Amino acid sequence: MHESHLVFNMSSFTFTRLESCLEQPMDSSIHEVINYTPSLLPAKNYDADTTEPVSCGLQTLDELLSWKRSEANPFNVAVVPLAPREPPLASCPRRTLVSHDMMGGYLDDRFVQGTSAEAPYAFYHWQSIDIFNYFTHNMVTIPPAVWTNAAHKHGVVVIGTFITEWKDGATACEAFLKEEESYRAVADKLVQISHYYSFDGWLINIENTLSEVAVKNTPLFLRYLTDQMHERVSGSLVLWYDSVTENGQLNWQNELNQSNRIFFDACDGFFTNYNWTEQNLEWMSDYSGVQGRKADIYVGVDVFARGKVVGGMFETNKALEIIRKHDFSTAIFAPGWVYETHDDKTEFRKNQDRFWALLSDYLYIHRPVLPLPFISSSCQGFGKAVYWRGKHEKNMSWFNLTAQEIQPMYYHKELEGQGWLRSRGCPEDAWNGGCSLLLEGLIPVSHTSPVCAKIFSIHVPLPSKTLVSFICKPSAGITVSLELKTTDASLGIQEVKREFLTFLLIIYLVSDGGDQFSQLFGNLDPNGWTVKCLQLESCGCALKDICVSIQRNGEPQDTPFSCRMGEIMLQDVASLQVPPELVKGLCIYDIVWLRGAGTLPESTSPCLHLNATLRWDYQINLVRYFRVYWRQLRGPDPRIPPGQLLLVGRAYSNLFRVTELAVPDPPGLLELVVEPVIMKGFPVPESHWGRRSLSYTDFTQRSTSGNCIR
């Protein structure tokens, strides 16, 4: 993970060898002769100081037109496919788009493998939105893979931004909109970029005047881009921002009308400017150009409330109320306001939950369609520590949205008799990842029935036998159980007209689960966590909702409670017996050696640091992540036994960049190891891990008096 500051000063001398995995015979040691020459890694794809992989956009038209797959950044390719959803996006009558514009973009989220940011911005209300747009003022904004991965898990479409502005933008537009060949070349590159990086489309934002020729070709460019995106990227979208009119003038209309309809008719949707009034919406409701496509009109809302706008800030709900009244979709611009404008970043979760709760009456929940195994620890992709099975794996602040798991529902609701219930993410304790879901509230004396907290809204087809397990920490005086709501799997959720079949699972603590259970969950009472499971038998059902039922024990009285939900898992019992796969083809390449001042205060000797890319073969859909380790195999003294495996980090794809790894001085021999952490929860035998050794010598024979390895 990237540190917010360097702990040593790097030498300007490095060595790299760019090579293919195919050049490395399997089951052989890689040998390196350390030389100190400038790195050959492309600076735009790797951090200059650490060689960490980073996301970035494209600045100019020439940079876009010269883009090649062979020179693209493989680390920024999203590895999570877009999940299907119920209801499908195309059938939603009112949609919600979020346009993420944060302080110029590419901040903490640019680090593909995560960073050690103390107080990052993250988004986790995915079930309430349909489209996520990553917005910057780069000409071509490529969404960081961490955002695409998180959104895709929840069935949310991700689109980048193509923007031209001011004098330079006008010059670029005149160049690429001058003729069919030139605008098709730009469109083809945008399609190739979206396809390569696995995101789902584009917001086209032309904010400069256009000549007569350029404006005439703009709808043709939009239609060609839209058709090509639909052909190459399933479920893709191309949207147009309300800026230029059909005469080429930069004249924001704040509505769809005859002067900008030509652009709307050529693509998938229209994102209006923010200075509309209710009269604009009333007019659009009757406008012939809108009929049959109201869902494709995204009425813009600037959360910063710049200009003469309705609502904004913590009154954004006022704008949504009017927009939904007229049955339009909405585009919420810069909801990061809850983070940017509040000095106390420790209050971020509180402010974000408040903001989205105010909008909840005007948002529409969708359900991602997910296969088994379903597993979620409610990790939001950041935290104060990294947890694994209730224990600290790393004590450090971290941020990586790819690590975000399927998110629960966050809300606050009142109960009869002055009771209440709230769900929120809490980083103070977790089972896995960076936080847990904390349910807390008050069961009033008059409330005799259990309190039901809906925590997941999903669509998961169930097999004949399903292992259901959950891990929690309830407070004293309550009993906690799960309630699973299902429906007939052969029917779409929207078509079911009967009451949903409900299974109330009186979950019991397993005491005789044997080795299989202990492998899944470890100790039955680790650090106060309670592990419970049950085998559910069903036929032709699909899981719709996961709820937690909280019952007071003892005599009726006002009962405050809390229950920390650590993890929920559903697995096909039949699949549990299938043996895990082997990690195959582990190779090491793009090696860079660095020298820096010692990390120990009393040491003045330079330390040797290894930076290298690892690649291997494994089915990504089978794993939660991979653990990457290293160990010293031997030093100059052959009597020294191999060292212990030391954790380097977590990988969320078959690609990982080892950075700033302090290693012994040459000659040396070390091993890099990849362990798959599979969705089933069982530990994979070490015989199935990936391993590769690396030996190295140094012709310069540097002499050092200290050892940088601790």
Side-chain angles (χ1 to χ4, degrees):
M1 290 184 178
H2 176 73
E3 298 292 338
S4 57
H5 63 279
L6 295 181
V7 294
F8 51 87
N9 296 318
M10 294 294 188
S11 166
S12 61
F13 299 104
T14 60
F15 169 72
T16 182
R17 184 178 67 202
L18 302 174
E19 64 177 28
S20 165
C21 292
L22 298 177
E23 298 173 9
Q24 299 182 5
M26 290 299 101
D27 303 321
S28 66
S29 175
I30 306 302
H31 181 71
E32 282 287 325
V33 177
I34 302 173
N35 292 304
Y36 296 91
T37 56
S39 168
L40 299 180
L41 293 173
K44 65 181 180 180
N45 293 338
Y46 296 88
D47 182 82
D49 293 325
T50 66
T51 80
E52 287 183 85
V54 295
S55 305
C56 66
L58 307 179
Q59 305 295 329
T60 65
L61 189 60
D62 287 343
E63 195 175 354
L64 170 62
L65 292 173
S66 63
W67 185 89
K68 299 175 183 177
R69 290 176 62 93
S70 60
E71 299 174 1
N73 182 0
F75 285 95
N76 198 46
V77 175
V79 296
V80 180
L82 177 62
R85 44 166 285 174
E86 291 288 349
L89 180 63
S91 64
C92 288
R94 291 170 296 275
R95 305 167 192 157
T96 302
L97 178 151
V98 160
S99 189
H100 175 63
D101 175 37
M102 171 76 74
M103 301 164 64
Y106 298 114
L107 303 174
D108 294 326
D109 53 9
R110 77 185 185 277
F111 294 103
V112 179
Q113 296 181 169
T115 175
S116 58
E118 292 286 338
Y121 173 82
F123 182 80
Y124 45 82
H125 291 83
W126 295 108
Q127 74 279 359
S128 299
I129 76 167
D130 305 292
I131 303 165
F132 179 84
N133 165 233
Y134 195 83
F135 185 93
T136 76
H137 289 273
N138 294 277
M139 175 177 279
V140 179
T141 298
I142 300 169
V146 295
W147 283 102
T148 306
N149 288 328
H152 278 184
K153 290 176 188 178
H154 296 85
V156 172
V157 167
V158 176
I159 61 176
T161 305
F162 176 76
I163 185 172
T164 63
E165 301 175 283
W166 313 110
K167 183 178 179 180
D168 287 345
T171 302
C173 286
E174 294 309 310
F176 87 86
L177 291 170
K178 64 183 179 182
E179 59 188 6
E180 181 178 5
E181 181 181 0
S182 56
Y183 71 66
R184 285 195 172 206
V186 166
D188 287 341
K189 289 298 183 182
L190 293 176
V191 173
Q192 292 168 23
I193 289 170
S194 177
H195 184 264
Y196 178 80
Y197 288 115
S198 297
F199 61 95
D200 312 298
W202 296 97
L203 170 67
I204 306 300
N205 186 0
I206 306 296
E207 295 209 63
N208 47 257
T209 58
L210 297 174
S211 68
E212 182 178 351
V213 171
V215 76
K216 178 182 176 182
N217 284 327
T218 299
L220 302 177
F221 161 68
L222 283 173
R223 173 46 58 197
Y224 178 75
L225 173 62
T226 302
D227 289 345
Q228 293 301 306
M229 285 297 304
H230 290 176
E231 185 176 326
R232 294 288 300 277
V233 180
S234 177
S236 60
L237 293 173
V238 174
L239 306 182
W240 173 261
Y241 178 65
D242 164 27
S243 50
V244 174
T245 56
E246 63 180 355
N247 62 7
Q249 295 302 304
L250 184 58
N251 189 359
W252 298 270
Q253 299 294 292
N254 303 299
E255 66 182 20
L256 179 71
N257 57 35
Q258 198 61 33
S259 68
N260 53 31
R261 176 183 172 180
I262 190 172
F263 308 114
F264 174 57
D265 289 343
C267 65
D268 295 310
F270 185 86
F271 182 149
T272 79
N273 191 45
Y274 314 104
N275 301 115
W276 50 267
T277 65
E278 187 168 6
Q279 286 69 34
N280 294 109
L281 307 191
E282 291 171 348
W283 187 90
M284 280 197 296
S285 294
D286 296 327
Y287 176 47
S288 61
V290 172
Q291 301 315 309
R293 293 189 65 188
K294 290 190 79 170
D296 297 334
I297 308 294
Y298 299 85
V299 179
V301 179
D302 181 7
V303 178
F304 277 80
R306 289 163 286 204
K308 295 181 179 180
V309 299
V310 176
M313 298 182 280
F314 281 126
E315 293 186 341
T316 299
N317 56 305
K318 293 181 178 180
L320 260 69
E321 180 181 9
I322 297 173
I323 293 168
R324 299 311 198 196
K325 172 183 172 183
H326 295 281
D327 290 328
F328 287 109
S329 294
T330 187
I332 302 172
F333 186 77
W337 172 86
V338 300
Y339 177 90
E340 284 189 58
T341 60
H342 293 77
D343 293 334
D344 187 356
K345 304 306 183 188
T346 63
E347 294 290 300
F348 161 62
R349 282 186 175 92
K350 179 180 178 181
N351 291 328
Q352 172 139 288
D353 291 347
R354 176 189 172 193
F355 178 85
W356 288 96
L358 289 168
L359 303 185
S360 60
D361 288 344
Y362 312 106
L363 303 174
Y364 305 97
I365 303 300
H366 72 267
R367 295 179 168 84
V369 178
L370 305 168
L372 289 182
F374 169 81
I375 183 168
S376 180
S377 63
S378 302
C379 176
Q380 294 174 335
F382 66 107
K384 299 177 179 179
V386 180
Y387 290 85
W388 172 246
R389 291 187 172 180
K391 299 179 181 178
H392 285 182
E393 188 171 88
K394 275 191 174 182
N395 276 314
M396 58 178 291
S397 295
W398 65 279
F399 169 71
N400 186 346
L401 281 174
T402 298
Q404 188 180 93
E405 297 188 341
I406 295 296
Q407 287 298 287
M409 305 179 74
Y410 301 101
Y411 55 86
H412 183 286
K413 70 176 183 180
E414 302 297 324
L415 305 176
E416 292 182 5
Q418 297 185 329
W420 57 276
L421 169 67
R422 179 172 67 177
S423 66
R424 62 183 178 94
C426 182
E428 304 306 327
D429 193 7
W431 177 256
N432 186 52
C435 74
S436 55
L437 176 67
L438 184 61
L439 302 174
E440 54 192 354
L442 174 69
I443 306 175
V445 62
S446 59
H447 207 96
T448 57
S449 59
V451 171
C452 182
K454 182 192 291 189
I455 57 173
F456 288 104
S457 184
I458 51 181
H459 184 89
V460 180
L462 298 177
S464 58
K465 293 183 179 180
T466 306
L467 177 64
V468 182
S469 61
F470 83 107
I471 299 166
C472 65
K473 266 187 190 180
S475 58
I478 59 171
T479 299
V480 176
S481 58
L482 285 187
E483 184 176 319
L484 304 187
K485 295 184 178 180
T486 68
T487 184
D488 191 322
S490 65
L491 299 176
I493 287 181
Q494 300 302 310
E495 299 173 343
V496 176
K497 303 299 183 183
R498 62 177 174 81
E499 289 294 319
F500 292 110
L501 177 62
T502 299
F503 293 95
L504 182 62
L505 303 184
I506 307 302
I507 308 293
Y508 56 87
L509 186 63
V510 173
S511 58
D512 57 353
D515 292 339
Q516 192 177 58
F517 183 84
S518 63
Q519 287 182 4
L520 268 174
F521 305 112
N523 297 326
L524 293 182
D525 188 25
N527 294 333
W529 292 97
T530 298
V531 182
K532 304 181 179 183
C533 72
L534 180 73
Q535 181 172 294
L536 170 67
E537 297 190 9
S538 60
C539 182
C541 289
L543 179 62
K544 171 184 173 282
D545 294 321
I546 299 178
C547 305
V548 176
S549 180
I550 302 167
Q551 176 73 58
R552 174 178 46 227
N553 299 331
E555 296 299 319
Q557 58 180 321
D558 286 346
T559 306
F561 69 88
S562 68
C563 181
R564 190 179 296 277
M565 302 299 297
E567 190 164 87
I568 292 177
M569 181 189 300
L570 290 90
Q571 302 203 58
D572 184 349
V573 171
S575 72
L576 296 178
Q577 304 305 319
V578 178
E581 293 190 358
L582 284 74
V583 175
K584 298 178 181 178
L586 176 62
C587 62
I588 308 170
Y589 61 103
D590 284 358
I591 295 173
V592 176
W593 298 98
L594 297 169
R595 284 278 182 182
T599 58
L600 295 175
E602 65 272 18
S603 171
T604 58
S605 63
C607 293
L608 179 65
H609 291 84
L610 169 67
N611 303 265
T613 295
L614 308 184
R615 186 191 294 273
W616 58 91
D617 294 325
Y618 205 88
Q619 287 191 55
I620 291 296
N621 64 321
L622 300 180
V623 299
R624 299 180 76 168
Y625 53 84
F626 301 89
R627 290 196 187 97
V628 178
Y629 304 93
W630 84 282
R631 66 171 175 169
Q632 183 178 357
L633 290 182
R634 69 165 184 265
D637 186 344
R639 295 170 296 179
I640 299 176
Q644 296 295 313
L645 286 177
L646 300 174
L647 183 65
V648 177
R650 291 182 177 185
Y652 293 87
S653 72
N654 291 340
L655 197 63
F656 185 77
R657 182 77 183 160
V658 175
T659 60
E660 302 178 295
L661 179 63
V663 298
D665 285 312
L669 177 64
L670 57 84
E671 184 178 47
L672 292 163
V673 180
V674 174
E675 174 197 7
V677 178
I678 59 175
M679 296 283 283
K680 294 178 184 178
F682 298 112
V684 174
E686 288 196 35
S687 60
H688 288 51
W689 299 4
R691 299 174 182 273
R692 201 68 186 265
S693 58
L694 171 69
S695 61
Y696 52 96
T697 54
D698 186 351
F699 281 158
T700 63
Q701 296 298 311
R702 288 173 179 261
S703 61
T704 58
S705 58
N707 192 337
C708 298
I709 310 302
R710 287 187 290 177

